Amino acid sequence: SQKIEQNSEALNIQEGKTATLTCNYTNYSPAYLQWYRQDPGRGPVFLLLIRENEKEKRKERLKVTFDTTLKQSLFHITASQPADSATYLCALVSFQKLVFGTGTRLLVSP
Amino acid sequence: EAGVVQSPRYKIIEKKQPVAFWCNPISGHNTLYWYLQNLGQGPELLIRYENEEAVDDSQLPKDRFSAERLKGVDSTLKIQPAELGDSAVYLCASSLGLAAFSYNEQFFGPGTRLTVL
């Protein structure tokens, strides 16, 4: 069966450290993968898109990798700040629609 | 530029009652989506519109859910009758481009939190 797995447990890190979130997928062959941020009571907000032929994408303090052999994407936030605390969702583009993972909650403590 | 607008933000109804949600997408966005999000889960697509045409409604429970997007702008999602299991957040999103640009970023509204008692 098709699955998109993200750590269901919250990730707790200290301010200034690098946060690394994982997205693993099974029985998908996505050409694109996106990452979104969601704050409580709000809709998801787009962060980054990475294509299957791109190994890595960066935007300011954010970095995303996409390994189609491992069927995995890693999402990194460097120099994390308390304001980065949120839930982060990965989403695959499959048959012209986005399929979301369950999200991982990130907590950055001062 | 205004974002995606949804109303109401919260709705509490008793089971078997009807309920409707409204969405106004970002101006110029021809693709509109309705998602359902349960607590601790990612959004799940219910229906996707390209302009006024519903091009993917395979996940919409058609016995009780209906949607429309008149004139290819605003959209309404209706549940009739509501069941206890329908309690969730209903998100509307919009994006530029049609199916060939399905990788385009989606812009989400704040959602409507539905509670069915």
Side-chain angles (χ1 to χ4, degrees), chain B residues 2-66:
Chain B
V4 176
V5 179
Q6 290 189 248
S7 69
R9 290 295 313 277
Y10 305 91
K11 188 75 175 178
I12 300 174
I13 60 171
E14 294 192 343
K15 63 181 181 182
K16 301 185 182 180
Q17 294 299 305
V19 65
F21 314 123
W22 176 80
C23 173
N24 181 238
I26 292 174
S27 177
H29 283 193
N30 41 18
T31 303
L32 182 146
Y33 314 79
W34 283 102
Y35 289 88
L36 176 155
Q37 187 173 27
N38 286 305
L39 190 64
Q41 302 294 314
E44 299 172 38
L45 182 68
L46 289 172
I47 188 168
R48 173 168 63 97
Y49 281 93
E50 291 182 3
N51 298 310
E52 63 275 5
E53 181 182 0
V55 296
D56 184 354
D57 63 357
S58 57
Q59 300 304 308
L60 190 73
K62 298 181 186 62
D63 57 336
R64 298 184 300 108
F65 286 65
S66 64

Side-chain angles (χ1 to χ4, degrees), chain A residues 6-8 87-90 100-105, chain B residues 40-42:
Chain A
Q6 297 184 255
N7 286 346
S8 56
T87 296
Y88 292 85
L89 298 155
C90 72
F100 284 86
T102 54
T104 297
R105 189 174 174 204
Chain B
Q41 302 294 314

Side-chain angles (χ1 to χ4, degrees), chain A residues 32 34 36 38 41-46 49 51 89 93 95-103, chain B residues 9 35 37 40-43 45 48 56 58-59 91 99-100 102-106 108-110:
Chain A
Y32 308 92
Q34 299 182 357
Y36 286 78
Q38 187 171 24
R42 296 177 175 252
V45 174
F46 173 83
L49 163 75
R51 294 172 168 77
L89 298 155
V93 178
F95 295 102
Q96 300 177 350
K97 64 183 178 185
L98 272 185
V99 183
F100 284 86
T102 54
Chain B
R9 290 295 313 277
Y35 289 88
Q37 187 173 27
Q41 302 294 314
L45 182 68
R48 173 168 63 97
D56 184 354
S58 57
Q59 300 304 308
L91 293 163
S102 55
Y103 54 82
N104 281 357
E105 67 177 287
Q106 296 186 16
F108 284 81

Side-chain angles (χ1 to χ4, degrees), chain A residues 39-84:
Chain A
D39 291 285
R42 296 177 175 252
V45 174
F46 173 83
L47 296 174
L48 281 167
L49 163 75
I50 188 165
R51 294 172 168 77
E52 61 177 342
N53 60 352
E54 296 177 315
K55 297 297 183 187
E56 183 179 295
K57 196 82 168 278
R58 292 175 185 260
K59 179 182 176 182
E60 298 172 352
R61 294 185 296 113
L62 308 181
K63 184 178 86 171
V64 171
T65 63
F66 191 10
D67 189 325
T68 55
T69 301
L70 290 179
K71 296 186 180 297
Q72 179 182 79
S73 176
L74 299 179
F75 177 82
H76 307 270
I77 305 176
T78 58
S80 60
Q81 305 165 0
D84 295 327

